[in-house]
Every structure is written in structure tokens, then in C-alpha cells.
Amino acid sequence: MILTMNKLITIESHFLQQQKLYPEVNAEVTDLLNDVAFASKLVRREVVRAGLGDILGLAGTTNVQGEEVKKLDLFANEQIINAIGQHGRFAIMGSEENDSIIIPPKNETGNYALLFDPLDGSSNIDVNVSVGTIFSIYRLKGDDPGKASLDDCLQNGAEQVASGYVIYGSSVVLVYTTGHGVHGFTYDPTIGEFLLSHPNILTPESGKYYSINEGSWAQLNDGTKRYIDYLKEEDPATGRPYSTRYIGSLVADFHRNLLTGGVFVYPATKKHKNGKLRLMYEANPLAFICEQAGGRATDGSRRILDIKPEELHQRTPLYIGSVKDVLTAEEFEKGSR
Ligand code: AHG
Ligand code: MN
Ligand code: MN
């Protein structure tokens, strides 16, 4: 797909245009998205030179997920909390790297909650493979920011007012939605701006890629195994066999499949009985994006955005991507194929 940059539209001017088109995308949400874009520039600055700074490698700690935390995880987490917290627009935050919720020190008008995965794909940090940041924004349930609580962070994904991700790859791309389509921006470091490069992203209704960690084959249930075997069969009429593409960074696998078509599956396994990926700051934000782009996102049967969260770091199986591919995967999971 050749992207023609017929005119340079910065993310800030795009947000202003969107506000005129959709008044319900109020100035507050626009400010929040600008905050997130700003914070991602700070993360990008370190990601693109992680090999040089002293932040490469393990921080020697483990997070609430029981995973080794790499220094860039911590750095990205701090950057996002500080950069966004100081603007006082979020009353409360939930991060993959923090066991419990975060109440920013300075909070003037924050009527919103931010859930985020500061650095997704951390197993790839030291080997120069694309990583990302994923974010999800909710309006507080009540009207008093001073009373913001965990309950404001545990809303169904369908209540999100905005979500998105930044992928730090061969180029840095920010993709977001407020429920009015999906739009992508490419960072131009020569001017320090995100420029509109992927307006109104729509994902193909079926693809040619499937993404799953086949190393977990022994842990997969029968339906998942039969689905993967189905994708490998020769049948030109249904575009099979699909090609496998699995990077190990959800944002990178999701972004590729969003643009080209395909399906990403992280199912329940023996090791991760509820799947590995986290509902609040991985599955929900990407599910909102995916549905807005015409795709589908479920846990193998239930719509991701309808799952009622019980806890901040809860996990879910995730089947996400082209609608026809996800529906086929679901048929195998429920045994009707
Ligand atoms: P994070 O780095 O934020 O913990 O996320 C890693 C996730 C996701 O990015 C990726 O799709 C998945 O872990 C890979 O898991 P496996 O190595 O088990 O396949
Ligand atoms: Mn992640
Ligand atoms: Mn992470």
C-alpha cells in the first residue's frame, strides 16, 4: 500500500478536525490523546537507542505478572505516569507494571481513567524487534475525580471512550480510535510530529496470516489444534494454506494483521488457563480498534468488549483480527467444525 502524503496533517490538527465532526469527542478526550502521544515520544526516544543507554537488559525485578521486568519496561512506565500525571487530566491509572491503581499527584480536571501496557513485547527489547505501548481510556463512573477508585478502571471494554497503541518499529506509528473509525499516524523525527499516514483503517474480512505460538502446541486444546491444522491445508479456493507470522509482540502481530488481514490467537493453554494476555490493557483496547476497523475480537466465544472485568490484571484468551477468520476459529473452538 503506497501511502501518499498529499498534505501534512499533524495528529493535533487531526484531533481538532475530529472534534468538529464529532462534538461528543470533547476537548478533554482530545487533550488525553495528545498527552498519550506526547508520552509515547518520550518512550520512543529511549526505545530507538535502547542498545546504547544503560537501560538494556533486566531490571532484576519481577512484576505482578511474575515476569522478569526489563529496564525499558520500568522506564516506559515511569515516563507515561509522569508525563501524563503532571497534566492532571487523568484521575486514576492502571498499569501492567503496577500491582495496584495509581492516583496521579496533581489532579485538576481529570474525569478519566487510563489503563496501559507501557511496553508490550518486552521479550523483544534486547533483540531490536518491534515493541509497543497500548492504552485504553474510560470516563469515570462518577463526577468527583477525587473519588476515583479501582471500580472506575474495571469497566467493560464497550465503555471505552478511546483506545490505541504505538508501535516502535522500523517506523513509529500511533493508531487510535474514539469510536469514529481507526486512524494511524507515523512519527517524523525530523519535525517531532505524528503525521496522518493511515486514515480510516479498515481490516480485510479475511486474511492470509495466522499468528499463534505453535511452541505451545502440546498445551493447546483440541479445537485450537484442529483450527491450526485447517489453516495449513491446501485449498486455494479459501486462500489456504495461510502463512504463519508470530513476532512475540502483540502490538506488532496485531498491527500487521490489521493492515493485511489475518488472525491472532492466544488461547487458553495448560500454563495460562485463562490465556496470557490481559483484558484491561491489551485485549480491550485492541478489540475496540479491531471492531472499529471492521474486524472481530472474542475470547473464543464471548465478545471481548462485553467481558465484565473482576480484577485489574485479569487475563483472557484472545482471538482477534479479520471477522471471517475469527468466526472460523470460534467454530472449531465450539466443536461445530
Ligand atoms: P508484555 O511484554 O507486555 O508482557 O506482553 C507480552 C505478550 C504479547 O506482547 C505477546 O503476544 C505475548 O506476550 C507473547 O507470549 P508468548 O511468548 O507466550 O508467545
Ligand atoms: Mn503486553
Ligand atoms: Mn508490557
Side-chain angles (χ1 to χ4, degrees):
M1 173 168 69
I2 307 293
L3 298 171
T4 52
M5 202 75 79
N6 48 13
K7 60 179 177 172
L8 300 186
I9 298 176
T10 65
I11 196 166
E12 294 84 358
S13 54
H14 165 83
F15 286 151
L16 292 174
Q17 286 170 1
Q18 292 288 304
Q19 259 182 261
K20 290 193 189 97
L21 288 172
Y22 310 108
E24 70 279 19
V25 181
N26 59 35
E28 278 185 324
V29 174
T30 299
D31 287 342
L32 304 175
L33 289 168
N34 275 315
D35 281 353
V36 174
F38 170 68
S40 73
K41 292 179 186 177
L42 301 176
V43 175
R44 172 207 160 270
R45 189 173 58 180
E46 291 307 325
V47 167
V48 296
R49 56 179 220 100
L52 302 176
D54 65 353
I55 54 179
L56 204 61
L58 292 178
T61 61
T62 58
N63 64 16
V64 67
Q65 324 286 339
E67 294 157 344
E68 285 179 332
V69 177
K70 303 214 172 220
K71 287 181 184 173
L72 210 50
D73 280 351
L74 279 179
F75 174 85
N77 198 40
E78 284 159 16
Q79 289 302 309
I80 292 172
I81 292 171
N82 297 338
I84 289 183
Q86 70 186 2
H87 289 171
R89 286 193 271 258
F90 281 101
I92 191 167
M93 299 182 197
S95 164
E96 176 195 33
E97 298 303 336
N98 292 65
D99 299 6
S100 53
I101 48 118
I102 305 149
I103 302 289
K106 189 163 140 255
N107 173 28
E108 290 137 13
T109 61
N111 288 305
Y112 294 86
L114 173 71
L115 283 299
F116 64 100
D117 176 356
L119 206 89
D120 173 67
S122 35
S123 63
N124 285 321
I125 293 171
D126 296 356
V127 292
N128 202 24
V129 170
S130 301
V131 293
T133 297
I134 312 173
F135 63 90
S136 170
I137 298 174
Y138 292 87
R139 199 179 181 305
L140 297 183
K141 289 180 165 179
D143 292 327
D144 178 356
K147 293 211 173 72
S149 70
L150 175 61
D151 197 38
D152 291 300
C153 296
L154 298 182
Q155 300 183 53
N156 286 22
E159 300 303 317
Q160 292 174 95
V161 295
S163 79
Y165 59 87
V166 182
I167 179 169
Y168 310 102
S170 48
S171 64
V172 175
V173 178
L174 184 151
V175 177
Y176 90 99
T177 187
T178 56
H180 300 286
V182 177
H183 309 286
F185 301 80
T186 299
Y187 185 68
D188 181 343
T190 64
I191 56 175
E193 285 284 1
F194 277 106
L195 300 177
L196 183 64
S197 53
H198 299 73
N200 301 305
I201 295 174
L202 290 175
T203 195
E205 58 175 12
S206 65
K208 58 187 176 188
Y209 294 137
Y210 74 95
S211 307
I212 187 169
N213 183 342
E214 295 214 37
S216 308
W217 187 265
Q219 299 185 48
L220 302 181
N221 69 35
D222 180 52
T224 311
K225 287 181 177 175
R226 289 188 299 104
Y227 175 54
I228 301 305
D229 283 338
Y230 165 80
L231 292 177
K232 292 176 177 174
E233 290 165 0
E234 294 270 352
D235 177 24
T238 52
R240 289 180 291 149
Y242 279 29
S243 294
T244 185
R245 292 282 188 282
Y246 192 76
I247 294 176
S249 295
L250 169 61
V251 179
D253 282 316
F254 173 78
H255 183 70
R256 178 201 54 248
N257 292 353
L258 181 74
L259 299 183
T260 62
V263 59
F264 175 98
V265 177
Y266 206 112
T269 63
K270 289 188 186 109
K271 184 180 169 195
H272 294 295
K273 299 237 178 307
N274 294 315
K276 174 183 180 185
L277 300 174
R278 280 56 57 124
L279 175 64
M280 297 316 293
Y281 40 81
E282 289 174 317
N284 269 332
L286 298 186
F288 189 17
I289 293 266
C290 189
E291 288 195 358
Q292 281 289 310
R296 180 178 174 84
T298 68
D299 66 355
S301 59
R302 291 180 300 172
R303 182 182 180 229
I304 291 290
L305 297 183
D306 289 341
I307 296 175
K308 173 82 187 82
E310 302 303 329
E311 52 176 61
L312 192 58
H313 300 292
Q314 82 182 57
R315 299 175 193 262
T316 176
L318 181 63
Y319 298 67
I320 189 167
S322 296
V323 58
K324 284 188 174 174
D325 292 315
V326 175
L327 285 169
T328 303
E330 290 169 13
E331 287 167 10
F332 279 94
E333 290 300 340
K334 64 185 172 201
S336 55
R337 286 184 78 153

